[in-house]
Every structure is written in C-alpha cells, then in structure tokens.
C-alpha cells in the first residue's frame, strides 16, 4: 500500500518531486543579507532580489558628482566583450570576465587578491552565439559561483579562489553555453543556458549550493511527445507547436539571463529565448510555440509551473524575453500592487501582476514595425502580416531587429523617481526565409537566408543604414507607460544602467564614455573617457565611509561580431578590457591609447565565377557571418577576412576551415574545423566570395 501511495505521489508534476537540498546557510552571505543588503554592499547581480539596480547611497549625488575621478583600474587579459556586474562584500570586489574567468580585488585599493581561470576551450566559441562573454558571479555563504561558457557550474572559496566543486550542468557541450550570472534563492543556485540558435531545449534549473546537485529543472519547451511529458505545463505547450517535429532541433526557449527570485510571492520569474529555428517554415512550425519568448513563473521550492505570459507569440524575429525582469510595488489605478516590469527585445514595455501574471498594461518604448499594436486587454500583439516573411516569401525589414530594442544590458528602477532607465537600441534588421533549408551539425540553425539580405557593396546604402541605426537612454514611467526623457547616442549597444538615491543614473556607452545623468530630468552632470566601448552595467558600494562606482569596460558581444556595416557605428574604438573604479576627489588617469594596427585592404584580383560567388555568399552567411560580420564587414573583435592572408590561396583557407589549424597550438584562436558542414568546393566558393567582397570595398575607397 505504501509503495502504491508513493507511486501515486510521483505522478504529480515531475518538478514537484525534486530533491530538497541542503539547508540555507547561516554564515557568510546569507539569504537574509541578499534580501536586504547592507547599503554599502552589492551582493547579487541586480543588487537586490527584485533586480531593481537601485542603490540607496547618497554620498555621491547630483550636487557633487562632478568631482568624481578614477580611483583605480585593472587591465584585463581577455580582449573580448565585458558584460559583468561586479559584486562587493566585506571590502572585496568580485568580478567575472570574458572566458568565464573570476577575479577578486581589494575594493578600496584595487590590489588583486586572487584569480581563477576555468580554462574554457577556445573552440567553444563555435557554439556561443554572441562572444565569449560572462555577466557575473553569485555570492552565497563562503563561496563564489560562476557559470562557464562551456557549461560548468563552478563554486570557489571566497577567500582563496580555490575550487570547492565544479559540475557540467548543460545537457551537452555541443549546443549549449552559459553566459548569464547565477542567482541565489533559499539555498539554491539558479541558472539556465544559452543555445536557441543551435539545437538546444531551454530550461531553468536549481542546484544545491553546497554540492552542485540538481534539485529541480523546468523545461521551457516540450520534448518529444513519444517520450511522455514531464508535467502538465509541457503537455499544454505541445499543443501550440502545430504538426512540426520541433524537438528534433531542440525547440529553443533558452534561459540565458533574466532570473528573478521574489520572496513576496516565493516565485522565480525568468525570461525565455526565441523558438528554434527562427523561420517557422524551416521545420513546419505553426502556432504560439510556448513557452518561447515569454516570462514564466515557477515555485522557488519545487520548480512547479505557476503562470506564464508570452510577449512574442510565433517568434520568428529572435525577440528573446531574456532581458532583466524587475519586481516592484507600485500604485496602479489607486491600488498598491506587486508587479513585474519588463522591456524585452520586441520594443514594448510590459507591466504584469507578480502573483498571477495577469496583464496590466504595455507601451511601445521604441519604434516597431512587426505589429500594428497591442490588445489592451490581453497584451497580445497584433502581428503585421508582412512580418511573417516565411508566408509572404519576401524579405521583411523589421524594427526592432534581432539585436532587440532592449537586449541583456540591464535597466534600473529608481525608488525615488519611479522611473525605469532603459538602454535602448533603435535599429532595423532584414529577415528572409531560406528555401529548402536543412539542418547541419555545426553553426546556427535558424532557417534564414542571410545572403539574400546581406549589406550591398553600395556606399549610399551603407551610409543610409548607419544613419538609421542609433541608440538612446530612455527614462520610462511604467505606470503611465510613457517616456519621461531620453538621451540620444551615436549608435546602439550601450551599457546597462545604475540608479541611486543621489538623483543619479550612471551609464557607459559604445562611444567610450562613462557618464552620470540626473535621474529626474536626464541632465548630463559628469563624464569620463573610457577609451573603449562600455556595454556592462555599473554598480556602487562603500568602504571606510567613501562611496565608489565601478564598471567593466570592453566592447564586444553580438552587436560587434555579427552586425557588419553598422557594427562600428557605435564603437569607433577597439577593445581595451578594464575594470574602472571611481570615487570623489580621485585623480587617476588611464595610459595613453595605442594605435590600432590593421592590415591594408589589398586583396588578390577576383578570378572566380559568378556562380561561385553566389554559392559562397550563401555558405558565408550561414556559417561565417555570425563571427565575421554580415557581408564580411566585421566589427572590432574578430579577424577581417577580407584582409586575411588565407584568402590568397585555396590551400590556405582550406587549412583553416577544413583542417582546423587555428583551433589548437600555443595560441589557440577558437576557429574550429567546419569539415562536417563544408566541402573543399564550398570553402573555395567562400574564398572567391571574400575576394569579390574585398575588391568591391576597395573600389568604394576603403583602405
């Protein structure tokens, strides 16, 4: 009888049968400390569990911020994008860098206390959609936690950096990566993974903080129905994918950022990524494709589904909902409500009830063409028929594009002004469905025709695209769903924001400037030249009665590696990765900038055939452009293949693309072999395409 009862219990949703795990810690960084952090400390990614990124500190304020100067800085050895928010506890600053490295500094002096390198294989880049970035660590008890790019959860001793445990936590090390910062909830480490452009099935999982053992896992898309469903939520979701075999490509919906634990509801809210492939016709996908591009809420103790709100049904534009999720108590229609605030890629700002997920309101914080509006009762977007490019058979120019009107760069909410400060991207992207698309063993699996919509070798067209691509810092009233003020930038992909009780908003930008603005009116009060683009979000802390502001500098991420002609619209600087720390009255200075040496654009003459160029353009767009830029127009991080020595000879480029000569050696470049997807003839076609592109751009006057 007892066995029958136990079996019946385990027929409940699988998530509810998870392990209990170790008891929450009572020493070091505790749950209570994270929930109500000392004013001068920054103990979790968004400072508080609500992810508001608001500091109550006022020693630096709108009256004296002009006296801010560089207290200390530390140059990093990882010249990739830097996206982390430092954490500070007990006078020690903890930060992760590109390639998932972790460093601990004396928060006052900048003295390096210890450093840890997980030695991520450089060839991991082939499955990392958006650079070798890492957004931060978590603190709990006496440990520091980091997720590594190759899919490990690592716990380090806070005092020494010594490894306490490490476990591979991704389903496989072919389709998944980890770039997000772990979060802590009641003795559990919460983290998901990236991979929605590959063959990944999204999930959020909880791990025991002391052992790393998995306690529960909630999948964001259903698996193969033939295997049965883990719970009723997956069974319901399966009805929204049409007759496609979505599970054969994973389905997507990855939780690569945006995890918020709310003690007020005991729920974990998290955002999910795009459906995979982007192009629904590539595998016959029909319907909303739950729970992709959604906010999902689960019970923090068990991982059991509680509610969801889908922001972008039928997502075919890569409109992830992985932007940071903020919880707040606001007066809405004369009543105090616990709400969830969200500004995802799709250009709308959402307010939802935190307990039930009920839609309250939405407003467009950025221009958009993919909808004709939002239903005011349900919050469901009314999709522009022209945006369904796989049905029209025509390219569609969407605003926003796949970079998003707001991506991962964190926004902040000021408890003083009631405003949210959003780093917005004002940019378009063309979409076109590939014909007769087939999946492959390597590279993006999006079902798109990148060659058809690649930037043309036309100077006027390029200048027009650059002129239409901008960015802004937008102060948004979440109750009125209305813009309060904005600061306009040269281009998109600017840094996350920090707001403080000193009536300040701090933000770095892609132009290489770190600045402070008045939180109420947006007046620029102070700035500092960083010598490189800033995409990370700042934080602030106190030591010995002095307030400091810290930010990671280092240009990179998906905007740099993949967007081609507009990549350098934002950042005219190359990457100089640094940690910068400021305080009042400091007089520090950065070393003089060095000249960026670049090989001349001096390609061999084009002797190929038009059909080679067409075939090479198709293969380049699918397998190469994500790292080396649309139409072979690169950003600042990865090699400019138009200038490469390897395009001068067929055997040279084959040695890289087929033989993988740059994958290993004393200085591995991370360039893996593509022999499983590309034949020698394909590689020669790519070479001819690159030669043609290089000669075209030289004729346009590029040097």
């Amino acid at each position: 009888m007892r066995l029958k009862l136990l079996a019946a219990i385990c027929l409940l949703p699988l998530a509810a049968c998870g392990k209990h795990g170790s008891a929450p810690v009572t020493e070091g960084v505790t749950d209570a400390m994270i929930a109500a952090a000392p004013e001068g400390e920054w103990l979790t990614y968004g400072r508080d569990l609500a992810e508001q990124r608001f500091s109550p500190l006022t020693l630096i304020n709108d009256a004296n911020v002009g006296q801010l100067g560089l207290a200390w800085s530390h140059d990093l050895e990882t010249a990739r994008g830097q996206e982390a928010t430092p954490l500070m506890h007990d006078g020690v600053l903890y930060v992760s860098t590109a390639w998932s490295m972790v460093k601990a500094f004396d928060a006052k002096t900048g003295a390096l206390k210890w450093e840890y390198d997980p030695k991520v294989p450089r060839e991991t880049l082939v499955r990392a959609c958006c650079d070798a970035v890492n957004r931060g660590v978590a603190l709990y008890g006496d440990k520091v936690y980091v997720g590594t790019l190759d899919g490990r959860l690592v716990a380090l001793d806070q005092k020494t950096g010594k490894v306490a445990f490490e476990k591979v936590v991704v389903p496989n090390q072919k389709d998944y990566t980890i770039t997000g910062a772990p979060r802590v909830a009641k003795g559990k480490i919460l983290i998901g993974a990236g991979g929605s452009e590959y063959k990944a099935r999204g999930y959020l999982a909880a791990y025991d903080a002391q052992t790393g053992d998995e306690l529960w896992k909630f999948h964001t898309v259903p698996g193969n129905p033939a295997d049965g469903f883990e719970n009723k939520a997956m069974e319901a979701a399966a009805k929204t994918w049409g007759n496609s075999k979505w599970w054969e490509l994973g389905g997507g919906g990855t939780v690569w950022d945006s995890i918020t634990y709310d003690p007020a509801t005991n729920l974990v809210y998290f955002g999910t990524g795009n459906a995979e492939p982007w192009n629904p016709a590539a595998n016959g996908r029909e319907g909303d494709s739950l729970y992709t591009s959604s906010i999902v809420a689960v019970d923090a103790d068990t991982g059991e589904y509680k509610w969801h709100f889908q922001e972008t049904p039928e997502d075919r534009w890569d409109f992830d909902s992985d932007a940071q999720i903020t919880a707040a108590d606001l007066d809405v229609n004369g009543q105090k409500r616990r709400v969830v605030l969200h500004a995802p890629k799709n250009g709308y700002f959402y307010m939802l009830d935190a307990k039930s997920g009920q839609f309250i309101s939405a407003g467009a914080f950025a221009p958009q063409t993919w909808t004709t509006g939002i239903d005011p009762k349900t919050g469901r977007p009314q999709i522009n028929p022209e945006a369904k490019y796989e049905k029209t058979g025509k390219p569609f120019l969407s605003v926003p594009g796949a970079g998003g009107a707001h991506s991962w760069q964190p926004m902040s909410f000021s408890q003083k002004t009631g405003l949210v400060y959003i780093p917005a991207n004002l940019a378009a992207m063309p979409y076109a469905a590939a014909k007769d698309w087939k999946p492959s063993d390597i590279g993006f699996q999006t079902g798109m025709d990148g060659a058809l919509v690649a930037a043309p070798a036309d100077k006027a067209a390029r200048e027009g695209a650059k002129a239409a691509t901008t960015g802004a810092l937008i102060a948004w009233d979440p109750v009125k769903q209305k813009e309060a003020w904005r600061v306009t930038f040269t281009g998109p992909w600017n840094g996350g924001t920090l707001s403080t009780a000193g009536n300040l908003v701090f933000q770095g930008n892609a132009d290489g400037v770190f600045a402070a603005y008045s939180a109420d009116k947006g007046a620029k009060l102070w700035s500092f030249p960083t010598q490189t683009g800033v995409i990370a979000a700042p934080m602030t802390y106190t030591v010995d009665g002095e307030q400091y502001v810290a930010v990671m500098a280092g240009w990179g991420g998906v905007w740099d590696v993949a967007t081609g002609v507009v990549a350098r619209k934002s950042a005219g600087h190359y990457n100089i990765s640094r940690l910068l720390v400021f305080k009042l009255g400091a007089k520090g200075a950065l070393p003089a900038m060095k000249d960026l040496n670049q090989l001349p654009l001096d390609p061999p003459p084009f002797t190929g055939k038009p059909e080679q160029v067409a075939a090479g353009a198709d293969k380049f767009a699918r397998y190469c452009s994500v790292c080396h830029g649309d139409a072979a127009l690169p950003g600042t991080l990865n090699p400019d293949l138009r200038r490469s020595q390897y395009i001068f000879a067929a055997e040279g480029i084959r040695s890289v693309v087929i033989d993988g000569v740059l994958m290993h050696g004393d200085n591995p470049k991370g360039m893996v072999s593509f022999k499983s997807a590309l034949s020698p003839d394909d590689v020669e076609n790519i070479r001819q395409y690159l030669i043609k592109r290089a000669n075209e751009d030289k004729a346009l006057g590029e040097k």
Side-chain angles (χ1 to χ4, degrees):
M1 185 69 179
R2 184 182 177 191
L3 290 176
K4 290 182 179 179
L5 179 61
L6 189 59
I9 291 173
C10 284
L11 288 176
L12 294 171
L14 183 63
C17 288
K19 304 173 186 176
H20 293 295
S22 304
V25 298
T26 57
E27 296 181 355
V29 178
T30 65
D31 292 272
M33 290 174 62
I34 297 172
E39 286 190 353
E41 297 205 339
W42 194 288
L43 299 179
T44 187
Y45 183 66
R47 187 182 181 275
D48 56 11
L49 290 174
E51 299 270 327
Q52 293 185 358
R53 291 184 170 265
F54 173 79
S55 171
L57 297 177
T58 58
L59 294 174
I60 300 172
N61 53 60
D62 55 358
N64 63 17
V65 69
Q67 302 170 31
L68 209 60
L70 185 66
W72 58 269
S73 65
H74 182 90
D75 282 16
L76 303 173
E77 67 274 52
T78 53
R80 308 291 306 188
Q82 304 298 336
E83 299 187 356
T85 299
L87 304 187
M88 201 288 284
H89 171 57
D90 198 21
V92 180
L93 202 65
Y94 301 92
V95 66
S96 64
T97 75
W99 295 114
S100 318
M101 300 180 188
V102 183
K103 298 177 186 293
F105 299 92
D106 184 297
K108 181 175 181 177
T109 67
L112 182 65
K113 299 178 77 70
W114 56 259
E115 55 188 337
Y116 164 74
D117 182 356
K119 300 188 184 305
V120 172
R122 295 310 189 245
E123 59 265 28
T124 305
L125 270 179
V126 77
R127 70 176 193 268
C129 86
C130 312
D131 199 1
V133 298
N134 190 280
R135 294 184 195 94
V137 300
L139 299 178
Y140 192 60
D142 60 356
K143 295 181 178 64
V144 183
Y145 301 86
V146 65
T148 68
L149 192 69
D150 58 344
R152 290 172 281 158
L153 176 62
V154 182
L156 308 171
D157 183 273
Q158 285 181 19
K159 288 184 171 21
T160 65
K162 183 179 179 181
V163 175
F165 68 76
E166 67 172 270
K167 294 195 174 185
V168 175
V169 292
V170 293
N172 67 62
Q173 291 183 301
K174 179 181 178 182
D175 300 303
Y176 298 83
T177 54
I178 296 177
T179 57
R183 312 302 207 275
V184 175
K186 303 171 75 172
K188 304 175 185 68
I189 306 301
L190 305 174
I191 199 164
S196 283
E197 278 67 52
Y198 301 88
K199 297 177 182 177
R201 182 189 182 195
Y203 66 89
L204 176 71
Y207 302 93
D208 186 289
Q210 302 308 316
T211 66
D213 293 339
E214 183 181 303
L215 301 177
W216 56 253
K217 176 181 283 186
F218 181 88
H219 287 103
T220 64
V221 299
N224 187 344
D227 298 332
F229 298 110
E230 291 90 349
N231 50 49
K232 291 182 179 179
M234 292 299 98
E235 185 177 1
K239 299 174 183 178
T240 68
W241 286 78
N243 295 320
S244 67
K245 295 182 179 180
W246 68 86
W247 60 89
E248 292 182 352
L249 291 179
T254 51
V255 185
W256 50 264
D257 209 357
S258 69
I259 305 166
T260 302
Y261 167 59
D262 186 6
T265 59
N266 197 40
L267 297 178
V268 178
Y269 318 117
F270 56 93
T272 65
N274 57 277
E276 175 62 14
W278 297 3
N279 169 15
N283 70 339
R285 174 164 62 90
E286 292 280 353
D288 289 352
S289 306
L290 291 173
Y291 298 95
T292 64
S293 299
S294 302
I295 296 177
V296 181
V298 298
D299 184 280
D301 297 320
T302 65
E304 182 181 359
Y305 168 88
K306 292 299 181 181
W307 59 258
H308 79 276
F309 178 82
Q310 190 171 45
E311 295 171 326
T312 309
E314 307 177 24
D315 184 13
R316 51 179 56 76
W317 312 277
D318 187 26
F319 285 168
D320 299 348
S321 290
D322 281 270
Q324 159 211 1
I325 298 169
T326 298
D329 295 309
L330 297 179
D331 289 326
V332 182
N333 297 325
Q335 292 185 328
K336 187 177 182 180
R337 295 185 71 169
R338 185 70 171 175
V339 298
V340 164
L341 306 175
H342 200 223
K345 281 186 177 183
N346 73 15
Y348 286 98
F349 188 98
Y350 295 87
M351 182 190 295
L352 310 175
D353 183 88
K355 186 175 182 180
S356 67
Q358 178 189 4
F359 173 75
I360 299 173
S361 65
F365 69 90
Q368 49 77 35
T369 60
W370 68 281
T371 73
T372 57
I374 291 280
D375 186 301
K377 292 184 178 180
T378 66
R380 189 176 179 89
Q382 298 157 348
I383 299 175
N384 176 1
E386 295 300 315
K388 298 183 179 183
Y389 53 83
E390 84 286 2
K391 294 185 180 296
T392 67
K394 301 176 182 178
F396 174 70
L397 185 66
S398 176
V399 181
H406 174 224
S407 187
W408 66 268
Q409 290 93 334
M411 65 188 189
S412 61
F413 169 74
S414 172
Q415 297 175 11
K416 293 292 186 180
T417 66
L419 300 176
V420 176
Y421 305 96
I422 308 169
N425 306 310
L426 309 177
M429 176 175 166
Y431 296 80
K435 296 179 181 179
D436 303 318
W437 180 86
K438 301 293 182 185
S440 60
D441 291 333
I442 193 170
F444 271 22
Q445 308 297 312
T446 59
M448 305 301 291
D449 188 341
L452 180 63
V453 294
D458 182 291
K459 198 166 187 177
R462 292 183 186 180
E463 291 304 313
K466 289 167 69 175
T469 303
T470 63
L473 168 59
I474 297 176
W476 188 262
D477 187 319
V479 176
K480 296 179 180 178
Q481 292 289 6
K482 183 179 179 182
E483 181 179 311
W485 55 257
R486 75 165 54 195
V487 175
T488 301
F489 296 122
T490 303
W493 215 243
N494 301 290
T497 68
L498 159 70
S499 55
T500 78
N503 192 34
L504 294 173
V505 176
F506 289 93
Q507 184 191 27
N509 63 44
D511 279 336
V513 175
F514 184 50
Y517 306 89
S518 62
D520 55 353
K521 298 180 180 179
K524 189 174 182 179
L525 304 177
W526 169 85
S527 65
F528 180 88
T530 57
Q531 301 183 346
T532 191
V534 178
I535 52 178
M539 51 80 74
T540 187
Y541 61 91
T542 59
V543 177
D544 294 339
E546 289 187 296
Q547 184 179 350
Y548 296 78
V549 178
V551 67
M552 296 286 288
W555 174 254
V558 67
W559 191 266
D560 181 87
V561 298
T563 55
V565 68
V566 295
R568 297 197 190 197
K569 170 72 185 292
S570 287
H573 309 282
Y574 58 99
N575 183 296
I576 308 174
S577 290
R578 286 189 176 117
L579 171 60
L580 303 172
V581 180
F582 303 87
K583 71 173 184 177
L584 295 174
K587 303 294 184 182
L590 296 176
M593 290 186 66
K594 298 178 181 179
D595 292 334
L596 175 61
N597 295 319
Q598 182 172 256
L599 293 172
L601 188 60
D602 188 22
F606 174 67
T607 59
K609 300 176 181 179
E611 54 268 30
Q612 285 182 297
V613 173
D618 177 70
K619 297 298 185 183
F620 182 92
R622 178 165 182 180
Y623 295 106
C624 313
S625 64
V626 67
C627 287
H628 297 285
D630 172 60
L633 297 165
T636 59
L637 294 184
N638 292 326
D640 183 342
L641 299 187
R642 301 169 305 160
R643 305 172 191 271
S644 172
Q645 61 181 322
Y646 292 105
I647 70 172
F648 280 79
E651 58 270 23
I653 194 169
R654 279 202 309 270
S655 72
V656 176
V657 180
I658 300 293
D659 300 335
V661 297
L662 295 182
M663 186 167 66
H664 301 297
D666 295 333
N667 185 25
K669 305 297 184 184
M671 175 61 198
V672 303
S673 167
F674 279 74
K675 64 182 179 182
S676 66
L678 298 173
S679 69
D681 285 344
D682 291 331
V683 176
E684 176 59 16
N685 291 340
I686 290 172
R687 185 176 81 94
Q688 293 299 334
Y689 168 70
L690 290 170
I691 293 171
K692 181 74 158 49
R693 287 289 304 105
N695 279 281
E696 288 173 339
D697 293 342
K698 186 175 182 179
L700 291 176
E702 188 172 347
K703 298 180 180 179

